[in-house]
Amino acid sequence: MTLRRALCQELAPQRVRVNTVSPGSILLPGKSWDRLRQRGPEAFAAYAARNPNGRLLNADEVARVIAFLLSPASCAVNGAHIPVDGGQLQAGLQPAPPSRTDPSAFPGSTTEPR
């Protein structure tokens, strides 16, 4: 975050805007949250339900925020940090799935997830 602040001040005279985006938990096919959803559906559902919006984000939702920041519509936005997490951090939730080495995160599983 310190780098963002410094860069936005340094590059503003060249009309370069510097903003950051912090995505929350995103459900992507074949990635950690998807594997948890398949191997531990109860754990996945419990985590998703704790999110303020009741679900994980999809990549398109984050991409739309980034597209806005890249567009002329955001010409007055510089030095901003935008969490795109559906309120996840405000709810005190960690954005990472349970540890892969924690078998209790995968109820009913007899093997450790890959």
Side-chain angles (χ1 to χ4, degrees):
M1 298 303 167
T2 302
L3 181 60
R4 169 187 41 91
R5 288 184 192 121
L7 285 175
C8 83
Q9 292 174 4
E10 180 181 328
L11 298 174
Q14 288 92 36
R15 299 177 53 134
V16 174
R17 296 178 293 120
V18 178
N19 299 292
T20 57
V21 172
S22 291
S25 298
I26 300 174
L27 185 59
L28 294 169
K31 299 299 181 183
S32 298
W33 285 113
D34 190 38
R35 289 191 300 268
L36 176 60
R37 183 179 63 165
Q38 293 171 17
R39 295 184 179 140
E42 297 86 10
F44 175 83
Y47 181 85
R50 290 177 45 213
N51 277 281
N53 61 0
R55 62 180 180 79
L56 272 63
L57 302 175
N58 64 59
D60 190 55
E61 292 169 312
V62 178
R64 284 194 298 262
V65 173
I66 294 169
F68 164 74
L69 290 171
L70 293 170
S71 77
S74 70
C75 66
V77 180
N78 189 19
H81 172 70
I82 303 175
V84 184
D85 65 1
Q88 184 175 5
L89 289 178
Q90 295 300 317
L93 297 174
Q94 296 297 319
S99 168
R100 292 179 172 192
T101 59
D102 179 8
S104 67
F106 300 90
S109 177
T110 57
T111 61
E112 180 179 303
R114 291 182 248 160

